[in-house]
Amino acid sequence: MGTVTIGVSIAVPEPHGSQLQERRTGFGDPAAQGIPTHVTLLPPTEVEDGSLPSIEDHLEEVAAAGRNFAMRLAGTGTFRPLSPVVFVQVAEGAEACAWLQKQVRDASGPVARELQFPYHPHVTVAHGIAEEAMDRAYEDLAGYEAAWQCTGFALYEQGADGIWRKLREFPFGGPAVPAQGPDRSKRGRQPAR
């Protein structure tokens, strides 16, 4: 049995995702085209490929307990000099992201792991490039803003070519449940509360 590298994240929806990916490419970040724009919940983690079904079951449980929440990006930040990263800040939704990532990495689950640094939700826009380009990313996106309703997260796998591909989405609120009311023959998804 082999291993695969997986990650769990909240995708930044369109048109914001493509806009930030194009900006990241423009700053000279060679990884930009292989990484969908996202907020990380589980950083790159090597797992046995046979463990994917149990990981998906675990993520279903996490998503079932989750609820939609407002996400807003605003302004920039950096992890320099500790780490060569410039990012767009999560101005709203950070607490929900922190709760989710803790559930994903829960010690009793199949992807329990410690983090190298304390969790800080963000959207990377420059990583490991020249300092001048990092400065430009920090300045050029200082006024950036985007907002959306977060309705779930996804599991990704990094291919041998270095490109991250979505394996599966996990919407909040769990599977469809029977509609409530007098006509129980109709089934539908309950609205998130």
Side-chain angles (χ1 to χ4, degrees), residues 4-187:
V4 293
T5 300
I6 62 165
V8 178
S9 63
I10 295 169
V12 175
E14 295 305 327
H16 317 298
S18 291
Q19 291 168 351
L20 287 174
Q21 192 172 38
E22 287 171 16
R23 297 301 298 271
R24 186 172 178 174
T25 299
F27 298 132
D29 189 331
Q33 292 304 311
I35 304 172
T37 308
H38 68 281
V39 175
T40 300
L41 298 176
L42 176 73
T45 302
E46 191 172 306
V47 299
E48 295 291 326
D49 56 10
S51 68
L52 285 176
S54 66
I55 291 169
E56 289 187 20
D57 288 347
H58 171 65
L59 296 177
E60 279 181 6
E61 290 176 17
V62 172
R67 294 292 176 257
N68 297 354
F69 60 94
M71 284 281 286
R72 186 171 61 86
L73 306 179
T76 51
T78 184
F79 294 132
R80 296 182 294 174
L82 199 57
S83 181
V85 173
V86 171
F87 55 86
V88 172
Q89 298 190 61
V90 174
E92 186 177 352
E95 284 183 26
C97 291
W99 181 85
L100 281 169
Q101 66 85 31
K102 188 174 181 189
Q103 302 311 305
V104 168
R105 296 184 307 100
D106 187 79
S108 66
V111 285
R113 67 168 284 186
E114 294 297 318
L115 298 178
Q116 185 178 359
F117 301 106
Y119 183 72
H120 181 88
H122 64 279
V123 177
T124 299
V125 291
H127 180 221
I129 57 177
E131 286 296 319
E132 301 78 29
M134 300 276 272
D135 291 341
R136 189 162 50 91
Y138 185 87
E139 293 163 10
D140 287 2
L141 291 171
Y144 184 84
E145 286 201 38
W148 70 93
Q149 196 70 11
C150 180
T151 59
F153 56 84
L155 172 65
Y156 292 81
E157 179 181 340
Q158 186 178 35
D161 55 4
I163 295 175
W164 287 89
R165 293 175 178 86
K166 187 186 319 178
L167 295 180
R168 183 170 164 201
E169 292 185 7
F170 296 87
F172 293 138
V177 296
Q180 302 299 306
D183 183 359
R184 299 209 181 261
S185 65
K186 294 181 182 174
R187 296 187 178 268

